[in-house]
Amino acid sequence: EQIDPARLDGHEFAGELSLSGELRPVSGALAMSLALHRQGGAPVQLVLPPGSAEEAALVPDMPVWRASHLLDVVQAFAWAPSGEAARDDPESGTGLVRVQAPARRAAPQGPDLVEVRGQAAAKRALEIAAAGHHSLLMSGPPGSGKSMLAQRFAGLLPDMSLDEALESAAVASLEGRFDIADWGRRPTRQPHHTASAVALVGGGSPPRPGGHHQSCAQRAGYMNQ
């Protein structure tokens, strides 16, 4: 049975189709969901593979459906009346399953500044930078504690707002590095000291965020080099 194209109105589809018909996750699902949610206009529903669907559902009020196989999509839209959402049939495991965003929990905790002994002046500088939203440059010989202190800087910052968390996660999603277990945690990046400017800024074809460093450190607690 062929699907009436009118039944696909108001839906966007993304996923990698395997030779067996299974649908596999793709990068950028959260960024796609966020862009569709912010564009306004007619409401749009997303149909995505497992993994991508859970990520995209983090955007509030964004209708997201999960499909594990191409046949699930075909059957769901063949059953659905024109203009209506696809069927939600989680018990049989066929058709599309509506994905709900999990309740937002406290962000995972990282290293704490209280673990550092001594370094009073450096710790005071971190506290001032965090309180005033200032940038901070630490310079010193190897082994002086720069990385140890920098890794604990995020713990001085307040929890990310929902908009901050979405923007940060969207960048990580585009690179395929988003882990839902880190949802709401301020990202930290540690580029190698030999990293080039291109590696830091990004580029390529298609364009990608810079080596999970400068662009991916948006809303970051620190970028350590």
Side-chain angles (χ1 to χ4, degrees):
E1 179 181 356
Q2 291 186 339
I3 298 176
D4 182 355
R7 295 179 178 175
L8 305 180
D9 289 346
H11 294 80
E12 294 290 341
F13 303 82
E16 179 183 335
L17 179 62
S18 70
L19 294 176
S20 65
E22 293 182 355
L23 301 177
R24 298 171 180 168
V26 292
S27 301
L30 194 151
M32 183 190 317
S33 178
L34 184 60
L36 289 171
H37 180 68
R38 289 181 172 178
Q39 74 178 7
V44 177
Q45 302 186 58
L46 272 173
V47 181
L48 298 168
S52 294
E54 289 75 12
E55 179 181 314
L58 293 173
V59 178
D61 303 321
M62 186 66 191
V64 179
W65 301 83
R66 181 178 62 236
S68 300
H69 198 280
L70 181 61
L71 289 178
D72 294 338
V73 180
V74 174
Q75 292 172 359
F77 281 93
W79 294 335
S82 178
E84 293 188 8
R87 176 172 295 184
D88 181 1
D89 191 10
E91 293 184 359
S92 67
T94 61
L96 308 187
V97 179
R98 180 70 180 267
V99 180
Q100 302 292 341
R104 192 177 180 194
R105 298 173 295 180
Q109 296 300 311
D112 197 314
L113 195 62
V114 74
E115 300 165 345
V116 179
R117 293 189 178 184
Q119 301 278 13
K123 289 194 287 188
R124 178 60 176 161
L126 288 174
E127 292 167 352
I128 293 173
H133 297 276
H134 303 305
S135 298
L136 182 67
L137 173 65
M138 289 188 287
S139 177
S144 59
K146 301 185 300 297
S147 295
M148 176 185 65
L149 290 164
Q151 290 167 357
R152 287 156 175 79
F153 182 61
L156 299 175
L157 299 172
D159 291 340
M160 300 177 81
S161 68
L162 179 59
D163 285 342
E164 288 177 333
L166 286 172
E167 290 177 10
S168 176
V171 176
S173 171
L174 287 170
E175 199 187 18
R177 294 177 57 90
F178 176 71
D179 185 346
I180 200 167
D182 293 330
W183 168 239
R185 174 185 287 178
R186 292 187 180 274
T188 55
R189 298 293 179 258
Q190 300 188 70
H192 194 266
H193 68 276
T194 62
S196 66
V198 173
L200 287 171
V201 175
S205 180
R208 294 175 61 86
H212 30 274
H213 300 143
Q214 188 162 308
S215 52
C216 286
Q218 180 187 28
R219 310 291 186 182
Y222 78 97
M223 186 176 74
N224 181 27
Q225 181 175 15

